[in-house]
Amino acid sequence: MTTLAAVPPVDAIFRNDYPWLLGRLRYKLGCAFTAEDIASETFVQLIAQAGTSSVREPRALLTTIAHRLVYDFWRRRDLERAYLAVLAARPESVAPSEEERALVVETLHAIDRMLAGLSAKARNAFIYSQFHGLTHAEIADRLGVSKRTVRDYLAQALRACYLASLQ
């Protein structure tokens, strides 16, 4: 008869593995504050997933959750940088206020989350249509697809936005 190794509860995982995770994130991100935020959010999500039950491979699960959070952080950062680059190119007289900037960045993040599950071409089709005002034919030319495919991409994107609005 084989005995199963004891599986640690979440509080023990936190005590044992938080410093390990924090060190990995500090190395990967180069910023102690961001590493702390992501490490904390990783454990919040771990608790949401596992509840108070035990986790068999805690470091593997922590790594998976943290990797996803780091990727999301980088996407948000890149989105904000792109927006700020556009603003920098505009005359100062038409620059939005800090409050308007925050609202735009928040809206961009919401749109990014809504479109996250789509292919790159479907996301680009939506952006070309909604933000650049391109026609289906112009989008098809840019993406190298048919107008029918553009219509399908836009339907996927609109469906994703609709489903996200229900949550």
Side-chain angles (χ1 to χ4, degrees), residues 82-154:
Y83 173 63
L84 293 174
V86 168
L87 286 182
R90 297 175 73 186
E92 191 174 316
S93 61
V94 295
S97 68
E98 289 301 316
E99 182 180 348
E100 291 170 323
R101 278 186 190 190
L103 289 171
V104 169
V105 167
E106 186 178 318
T107 302
L108 289 171
H109 289 297
I111 292 168
D112 184 54
R113 281 190 306 274
M114 288 180 205
L115 303 177
L118 300 177
S119 68
K121 285 189 176 185
R123 280 193 310 274
N124 287 335
F126 180 82
I127 291 167
Y128 287 146
S129 171
Q130 299 300 310
F131 298 109
H132 298 282
L134 299 183
T135 66
H136 288 199
E138 292 169 327
I139 296 168
D141 286 343
R142 285 199 180 187
L143 297 178
V145 298
S146 69
K147 288 192 292 185
R148 165 108 176 124
T149 302
V150 168
R151 193 168 61 239
D152 292 344
Y153 286 156
L154 293 176

Side-chain angles (χ1 to χ4, degrees), residues 55-66:
V55 177
R56 288 199 187 282
E57 297 290 334
R59 288 192 174 183
L61 184 55
L62 289 170
T63 300
T64 300
I65 294 170

